[in-house]
């Protein structure tokens, strides 16, 4: 018996596929304003009106610190954001949204929400909200599951929860997912 399974049986594959499709739609929207998806995420995070440290902004915008530094430098040059000394701790620098950045972010927000509403309509509002809720739960659960650093000392029981949850790591789970009677 072959342990080959179609890629659609792997959660990570489906998540990546959905991310790529969503990013393609989002990229089409933000490119009209001459910015990237990373820049849009930064504008969106900063739209709360508060100053953000580089570390906190990197985490919230899903960027590494070196990438944020490069993108932020570009955005300062475009006058979308500006840096200032943190009034609470003069050793820190915080990032703020400029008026120009706020205007671009506001225009994009409406178009992004419009695109999201189209996706909600295609999937059905209830399913779309359920999907968003499930993805939030998955992200929270994933934060609690740290990868094992010392695989050589790991036993099968150390991996059992992961093996049961991810068909990529456990072929029998993939086989069960492939059976029509296993779908509820």
């Amino acid at each position: 018996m072959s342990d080959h399974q179609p890629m659609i049986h792997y959660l990570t594959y489906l998540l990546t596929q959905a991310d790529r499709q969503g990013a393609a739609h989002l990229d089409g929207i933000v490119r009209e304003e001459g910015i990237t998806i990373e820049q849009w995420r930064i504008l969106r995070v900063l739209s709360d009106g508060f100053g953000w440290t580089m570390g906190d902004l990197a985490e919230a915008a899903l960027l590494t610190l070196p990438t944020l530094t490069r993108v932020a430098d570009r955005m300062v040059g475009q006058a979308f954001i500006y840096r200032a000394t943190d009034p609470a701790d003069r050793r820190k620098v915080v990032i703020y949204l400029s008026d120009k950045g706020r205007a671009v972010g506001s225009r994009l927000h409406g178009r992004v929400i419009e695109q999201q509403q189209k996706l909600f309509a295609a999937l059905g509002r209830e399913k779309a909200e359920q999907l968003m809720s499930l993805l939030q739960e998955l992200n929270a659960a994933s934060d609690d599951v740290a990868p094992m650093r010392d695989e050589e000392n790991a036993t099968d029981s150390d991996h059992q929860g992961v093996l049961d949850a991810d068909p990529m790591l456990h072929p029998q789970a993939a086989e069960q997912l492939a059976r029509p009677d296993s779908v509820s």
Side-chain angles (χ1 to χ4, degrees):
M1 177 168 88
S2 170
D3 67 351
H4 176 75
Q5 293 295 322
M7 292 301 290
I8 62 168
H9 293 287
Y10 300 106
L11 177 61
T12 53
Y13 174 81
L14 292 173
L15 290 170
T16 302
Q17 185 181 36
D19 175 62
R20 286 184 179 178
Q21 290 173 348
H25 291 292
L26 181 58
D27 188 60
I29 294 169
V30 300
R31 290 279 174 201
E32 291 175 16
E33 289 285 347
I35 66 170
T36 65
I37 292 173
E38 292 81 8
Q39 290 175 311
W40 171 77
R41 288 197 308 250
I42 292 167
L43 292 176
R44 195 69 214 133
V45 171
L46 293 175
S47 71
D48 68 2
F50 298 106
W52 286 68
T53 65
M54 290 291 282
D56 290 342
L57 182 56
E59 185 175 334
L62 306 176
L63 301 170
T64 64
L65 203 47
T67 298
L68 175 62
T69 300
R70 188 181 73 251
V71 174
D73 287 346
R74 189 173 334 125
M75 292 178 77
V76 167
Q78 294 169 302
F80 290 139
I81 63 173
Y82 63 94
R83 294 179 176 102
T85 303
D86 185 347
D89 184 347
R90 309 237 5 113
R91 297 170 295 171
K92 290 184 182 178
V93 172
V94 290
I95 307 295
Y96 293 93
L97 193 58
S98 70
D99 290 340
K100 179 180 178 182
R102 187 172 318 287
V104 169
S106 290
R107 284 193 303 271
L108 286 172
H109 180 68
R111 297 208 305 265
V112 169
I113 292 298
E114 190 177 301
Q115 178 65 31
Q116 182 170 301
Q117 295 303 322
K118 289 177 186 177
L119 290 171
F120 273 38
L123 188 57
R125 182 168 262 327
E126 187 176 323
K127 282 184 178 179
E129 288 173 355
Q130 182 181 21
L131 176 60
M132 290 182 71
S133 178
L134 288 170
L135 288 171
Q136 290 170 359
E137 287 179 37
L138 177 64
N139 287 334
S142 294
D143 288 343
D144 295 336
V145 179
M148 294 197 64
R149 298 283 182 218
D150 189 4
E151 292 297 327
E152 296 168 353
N153 295 327
T155 65
D156 285 345
S157 63
D158 290 330
H159 291 291
Q160 196 57 49
V162 174
L163 293 175
D164 291 340
D166 189 343
M168 182 175 277
L169 301 175
H170 196 279
Q172 287 78 18
E175 289 172 19
Q176 185 166 352
L177 285 174
R179 289 197 311 251
D181 61 339
S182 70
V183 179
S184 51

